[in-house]
Amino acid sequence: MAHGLAAVIEEELNFEEEILQAAILVAMESDEEEERWREEKERLQQPTRVEGYFDRTIPLYNLHEFKSHFRMERASFEQLVPLLGPHLTLRTVPVEKKLLANLWLLGNKESFRSVADRFDLNKGYLHGIVLEVCAGLRAVRPQFLNWPDREEQSQIENSFLRKTGFPGVVGCIDGSHIPIPGPSDHRAAYINRKGFPSIQMQTVCDDNLRFLDVIAGWPGSVHDARVFRNSPLYELLEAGNVNDDHHLLGDSAYALTQYMMVPFRDNGHLTEEQGNYNTRHSSARMAMERSFGLLKSKFRRLHYLDMRLLDKIPLLIMACCVLHNFILVKERIEVPVQDMEIDDPYDPISLEGGPQPQPINQRAALKREMLVNLLA
C-alpha cells in the first residue's frame, strides 16, 4: 500500500512539473510576442522616408521630368538658387533642397508629411523651410512683380492693342478665391458667394500673363470692389498714375472710372455698338483668366490651401505669384486650358459690399463711348 501511495505522489509531482514547464514556455512565448509587438509599434511610428530622393533620384531626371515635377526648367532653377540663397540663412539644409521641397509642395496637393518624407525632412522643419523660402521670394518680389512706370505702361498698351485691337489697355484686373479650411472664429466672414471658405486674391496682369500687382488676404465674403478700394493700387490710380487715355479692364464688379473701363450692363436694350464693345472687352480680359489658369495649373496647392495660420496664407500666395512671373521671364509661356475660373462679366452684382448705385462718372462714361465708336 505504501508503494502504491508513493507512486501516486510521484505521478502528481511529475504532472505539476509538466504544468510548471508549460507555464514557463507560455511566459517565454508571451514575452517574445510582447517584444515583437513593441518592435513593430516602434517601426510603424517611424516615418517611411524616401531614401536618396534628393541626392540620387533628382539628378537623374531628364529635362522634361524635372520641369514636370518642379514646374520650371532646370536652367531656371539653377538661376533661382543664387537669387534666393542670400535670403535663406538657416544652413542646416542645403539651399537646393529647400527650394526643391518648396516647389514640390506648392506644385502638388500632397500632405506636408508626405513631402517631408520624400525629402527626408522632419515635418515641423518642413513648415519652417516653406515659410523661409516664401519670405525669400517676397524679398525678391520687386525684381519680378511691380507696378509699371509710364514708359512700361505705354509698352503694355501697344502690345495689348496689337494683340486684341482694344486701345489704351495697361492691364486687366480681377479677383480669385483661394479655398481654405476656414477658421473656427468668424468663419462666416470667409464664406464666399459660392458657399466655401476662401481667401481673396486680387491681381492685375499684362498681355503676357505677367502679374503687375497682387493683393491677397481679404476674407472670401468681401466683394471685389471693396478689396480694390482698400488697396494701395486704388490710391495710386486715384492719384493719376496712368495717362488719361490709358486704363485697366475690369468686370462689372468694379465702378466705371477714368482709369477703369468696365462692360455695359446688359439690360436687354444695348445697342449693337455697345454689344460689340462688351465682346471686345471680354476678349481682351481673357488675359486675366489665362493668367489665373496658368498660376493654378503650375501651383496646384492653390486649389485648396490647407493652412490654419491665416496670417501666413498671403505670404504663400504672393510666393506663388512671384514664382509665376519668374518662370514667365525665364521661359516660354505655356497656357493650359484647365483650371480657368471664367466668370460672366455681365452678371448683375448684388452682393453686400459691392458697388452701390452712384452718380455716373461723366468723364469716364464719355471715354467709354469714345471707345465704343473706335471699336465699331
Side-chain angles (χ1 to χ4, degrees):
M1 184 176 180
H3 177 73
L5 180 59
V8 171
I9 293 173
E10 183 178 0
E11 184 176 347
E12 289 180 353
L13 290 174
N14 291 336
F15 180 69
E16 290 178 357
E17 185 177 354
E18 290 177 1
I19 291 176
L20 179 60
Q21 290 177 350
I24 292 173
L25 288 174
V26 170
M28 291 176 61
E29 291 176 356
S30 178
D31 289 343
E32 292 175 357
E33 183 65 26
E34 183 178 354
E35 182 63 23
R36 285 196 295 270
W37 177 83
R38 188 182 296 110
E39 291 175 354
E40 179 66 12
K41 182 180 179 181
E42 291 176 357
R43 185 187 68 81
L44 292 174
Q45 289 176 341
Q46 294 296 322
T48 303
R49 300 286 169 81
V50 180
E51 295 184 3
Y53 180 70
F54 169 72
D55 297 314
R56 298 195 297 271
T57 303
I58 294 178
L60 297 178
Y61 283 155
N62 60 36
L63 297 180
H64 174 75
E65 290 171 331
F66 186 92
K67 185 173 183 177
S68 175
H69 287 305
F70 300 107
R71 312 306 183 197
M72 66 176 64
E73 295 175 358
R74 193 186 295 273
S76 300
F77 176 77
E78 291 172 351
Q79 295 180 59
L80 187 64
V81 172
L83 179 69
L84 289 185
H87 302 280
L88 308 181
T89 56
L90 299 176
R91 302 299 185 185
T92 52
V93 175
V95 171
E96 293 84 355
K97 190 172 187 177
K98 289 181 178 182
L99 296 183
L100 289 171
N102 197 70
L103 289 171
W104 185 282
L105 184 81
L106 297 178
N108 296 280
K109 299 179 182 180
E110 287 185 18
S111 67
F112 267 80
R113 182 180 299 278
S114 177
V115 177
D117 292 346
R118 176 178 295 277
F119 286 89
D120 194 21
L121 296 168
N122 175 274
K123 178 184 174 183
Y125 201 81
L126 176 63
H127 277 274
I129 287 175
V130 170
L131 295 179
E132 183 190 25
V133 173
C134 289
L137 287 164
R138 180 179 58 188
V140 301
R141 169 185 174 174
Q143 299 181 47
F144 300 98
L145 200 165
N146 49 67
W147 185 250
D149 59 27
R150 290 183 185 271
E151 181 179 352
E152 292 170 327
Q153 289 174 20
S154 294
Q155 293 172 357
I156 294 172
E157 191 273 339
N158 289 331
S159 187
F160 256 115
L161 181 62
R162 185 172 62 253
K163 293 179 180 179
T164 69
F166 202 108
V169 182
V170 296
C172 299
I173 185 171
D174 203 356
S176 182
H177 290 274
I178 307 300
I180 62 172
S184 55
D185 295 334
H186 309 293
R187 182 177 178 82
Y190 290 85
I191 305 299
N192 61 40
R193 64 188 175 91
K194 296 182 180 180
F196 61 86
S198 65
I199 289 289
Q200 277 265 37
M201 175 180 70
Q202 175 190 276
T203 65
V204 178
C205 79
D206 65 11
D207 59 300
N208 292 318
L209 315 188
R210 183 172 60 96
F211 294 128
L212 306 177
D213 187 76
V214 176
I215 294 294
W218 282 84
S221 67
V222 178
H223 194 276
D224 287 359
R226 183 181 174 192
V227 174
F228 175 62
R229 289 196 306 269
N230 287 275
S231 68
L233 177 62
Y234 175 80
E235 296 180 3
L236 196 65
L237 295 173
E238 283 286 305
N241 178 262
V242 300
N243 295 333
D244 286 345
D245 59 341
H246 289 167
H247 41 262
L248 300 178
L249 296 184
D251 62 21
S252 56
Y254 301 95
L256 176 67
T257 63
Q258 186 74 8
Y259 55 76
M260 180 81 72
M261 291 292 104
V262 301
F264 291 94
R265 291 188 181 272
D266 191 352
N267 54 12
H269 301 288
L270 294 183
T271 66
E272 181 178 349
E273 291 78 12
Q274 289 172 337
N276 177 66
Y277 165 90
N278 277 5
T279 299
R280 299 286 292 274
H281 183 282
S282 176
S283 178
R285 280 192 71 251
M286 280 300 297
M288 187 74 264
E289 311 303 339
R290 293 166 69 205
S291 69
F292 281 148
L294 181 59
L295 174 73
K296 294 183 180 182
S297 67
K298 281 190 175 296
F299 304 111
R300 296 173 184 170
R301 179 73 51 178
L302 296 179
H303 289 195
Y304 181 72
L305 201 47
D306 190 5
M307 292 179 65
R308 303 290 176 177
L309 299 176
L310 291 177
D311 60 324
K312 301 300 182 184
I313 290 178
L315 175 65
L316 192 143
I317 294 174
M318 182 62 69
C320 290
C321 293
V322 173
L323 284 170
H324 169 95
N325 278 11
F326 172 83
I327 293 170
L328 290 181
V329 169
K330 302 298 180 182
E331 304 174 13
R332 291 177 296 124
I333 298 176
E334 295 179 4
V335 183
V337 296
Q338 70 270 26
D339 305 322
M340 289 190 179
E341 299 181 349
I342 303 177
D343 296 323
D344 185 350
Y346 314 124
D347 277 350
I349 301 296
S350 59
L351 301 174
E352 182 180 356
Q356 303 299 317
Q358 54 186 307
I360 295 176
N361 184 320
Q362 295 297 336
R363 287 187 63 209
L366 179 60
K367 179 179 180 179
R368 184 166 64 174
E369 286 299 331
M370 293 175 60
L371 290 172
V372 168
N373 294 329
L374 284 172
L375 294 170

